[in-house]
Amino acid sequence: MDSPHGAAVKAEDFGLKGPRGWAFRGVGIDAAPGSLIAVEGPSGSGRTCLLLALTGRMKPTAGHAEVGGHRLPKKMSAVRRIAALGPVSGVTDLDQALTVAEQLREGALLQRHYGAPVRAMLRPRAERRAAAEARIAGALEAAGLDLAALPKGERTSVRDLERLESVRLSVAIALLGSPGLLALDDLDLKLSDTERAEAWALLRSVAARGITVLAVCSEAPADALVLRTGPVDPDAPDAPEDAPDAPVEAAEPAGAEGDTKNDTANDTTNDDTKGADDALAEAGRA
């Protein structure tokens, strides 16, 4: 697997508003290439929308961002080419009917068709197969997934994988395209404390390879640059009428001073995900 230069991630007053309110707003960050970025907040607070907007999959409606030198929202397609998605529910779900080997081969085939240069398609079949196998081996190593350790090796069904194994497989598939930015949703979902530590260790190792990592989580590690999402301030301008009567305490600043320019990103609801859900429905997921 190639070792690409990571994509710098910058944003100022970045926001996305759906038909019934803000999915997130006022986001600011200045992260160097190869950074480990955590989007921390409760479920339903606009975390996934922020991740998809920063990877060019959803169109923001306020402020601007820049990923790998490509300005959003103008250069969304360019950002998508350098930003790969790991596990994101409803977007990059693994096929539960496939084996691990089949899922990897499918990922390599899609990468070859949509991500590889045209000249690569003209190589002899044996050469293309060998190149795909080399990419898969490199991606598995980077993701820390040992096929031999699975119950049935590479023939293990995707549906039989443990949660952390599933994360590693999704990361491996995402890394097949040698992205500059790797983004993951709900990283710590259904993981034990030990597994959570392993998951963050995996992402640190990916970042150490030069790839910028953006991960949604409920609790960020101390060494990550932190973007925090949370409930809207009902007294803020453009706050929706159905915002909660009492503001919720804002997140504290990121662990390291200067990690973010503004680490509060807001949604609009108390029921509690109208803004984020509507933004997802309106913009779609690519």
Side-chain angles (χ1 to χ4, degrees):
M1 187 187 70
D2 295 335
S3 297
H5 186 65
V9 178
K10 301 179 181 180
E12 185 174 351
D13 294 327
F14 198 51
L16 190 155
K17 189 175 185 180
R20 288 187 289 178
W22 291 94
F24 62 87
R25 67 190 300 190
V27 174
I29 187 171
D30 190 353
S35 294
L36 175 62
I37 308 166
V39 180
E40 180 186 85
S43 178
S45 63
R47 305 178 308 175
T48 302
C49 291
L50 178 54
L51 177 147
L52 293 175
L54 285 173
T55 56
R57 272 77 177 180
M58 294 186 72
K59 187 174 183 179
T61 54
H64 65 271
E66 197 174 279
V67 179
H70 304 296
R71 192 175 178 89
L72 294 170
K74 187 176 181 180
K75 299 292 186 179
M76 290 177 64
S77 60
V79 171
R80 287 197 297 272
R81 286 194 292 270
I82 64 171
L85 297 181
V88 180
S89 180
V91 184
T92 57
D93 298 304
L94 299 174
D95 191 333
Q96 303 298 303
L98 298 181
T99 66
V100 171
E102 290 169 340
Q103 188 79 78
L104 286 165
R105 284 196 295 270
E106 180 181 270
L109 180 63
L110 289 172
Q111 172 58 33
R112 191 179 77 196
H113 279 292
Y114 297 106
V118 175
R119 62 179 179 275
M121 301 292 294
L122 303 178
R123 295 174 181 171
R125 179 177 298 179
E127 186 176 337
R128 295 200 306 268
R129 184 183 299 114
E133 291 175 353
R135 286 204 315 275
I136 289 173
L140 287 171
E141 179 184 2
L145 183 60
D146 183 2
L147 299 187
L150 299 178
K152 296 182 180 178
E154 65 176 19
R155 299 181 62 186
T156 301
S157 175
V158 169
R159 69 168 62 91
D160 293 331
L161 294 176
E162 299 291 339
R163 164 68 180 164
L164 183 55
E165 292 170 340
S166 179
V167 169
R168 291 186 185 278
L169 177 57
S170 292
V171 168
I173 293 170
L175 293 179
L176 288 172
S178 300
L181 172 66
L182 169 67
L184 310 87
D185 196 18
D186 287 325
L187 176 67
D188 48 11
L189 180 67
K190 297 181 180 179
L191 294 182
S192 66
D193 290 344
T194 300
E195 291 170 332
R196 188 177 298 114
E198 290 184 37
W200 284 113
L202 162 62
L203 298 191
R204 289 187 191 94
S205 70
V206 172
R209 290 172 175 262
I211 302 171
T212 305
V213 177
L214 176 68
V216 167
C217 62
S218 58
E219 184 176 353
D223 60 339
L225 298 179
V226 183
L227 286 172
R228 289 187 174 89
T229 59
V232 71
D233 179 356
D235 296 324
D238 298 328
E241 294 180 358
D242 60 348
D245 293 334
V248 179
E249 184 177 356
E252 295 180 357
E257 184 177 357
D259 283 352
T260 60
K261 296 177 181 176
N262 182 339
D263 62 6
T264 303
N266 300 296
D267 83 340
T268 62
T269 64
N270 196 26
D271 359 336
D272 192 10
T273 59
K274 289 180 184 176
D277 288 349
D278 283 350
L280 285 168
E282 184 78 6
R285 292 170 165 181

